[in-house]
Amino acid sequence: MKRGIAGRAAGLVVTGLAGAAAYDGVKRIARSGAFRSATVSVTAWGLKGARAAETGAEKVRLATADIVSEARGRAGERAPVPGASTGHEHEH
């Protein structure tokens, strides 16, 4: 029974020491500015990715508008003037 208690106590001590070492390591990284630098870098990558996604979405939107316009022309319809009302005249 003493071995079981001693083993558990030793395990708790080791776990406590590992936690303390990890905590000290995190404090050092936070003080060094490395964490902030990494956070800024990741945020910059995110912004670049968002810009690329926006650019891609705009290209798709323009391509779709061109296709719809051409299809309307082939069907004999006149394309509405950009920014003109779509004929949705009733109130909600």
Side-chain angles (χ1 to χ4, degrees):
M1 183 163 172
K2 289 183 182 180
R3 286 185 185 176
I5 292 173
R8 288 182 188 166
L12 288 174
V13 169
V14 169
T15 301
L17 288 174
Y23 178 75
D24 287 341
V26 169
K27 278 184 10 183
R28 279 191 208 122
I29 290 171
R31 277 192 233 132
S32 73
F35 180 74
R36 181 177 176 86
S37 177
T39 303
V40 170
S41 294
V42 169
T43 303
W45 294 338
L47 289 171
K48 288 178 184 178
R51 299 287 186 264
E54 289 171 358
T55 300
E58 182 65 11
K59 287 180 182 180
V60 169
R61 187 191 68 78
L62 290 172
T64 302
D66 287 345
I67 291 169
V68 169
S69 178
E70 185 177 341
R72 283 186 172 169
R74 287 186 186 181
E77 294 182 16
R78 292 183 62 179
V81 176
S85 175
T86 59
H88 193 85
E89 298 176 6
H90 69 274
E91 293 183 24
H92 289 259

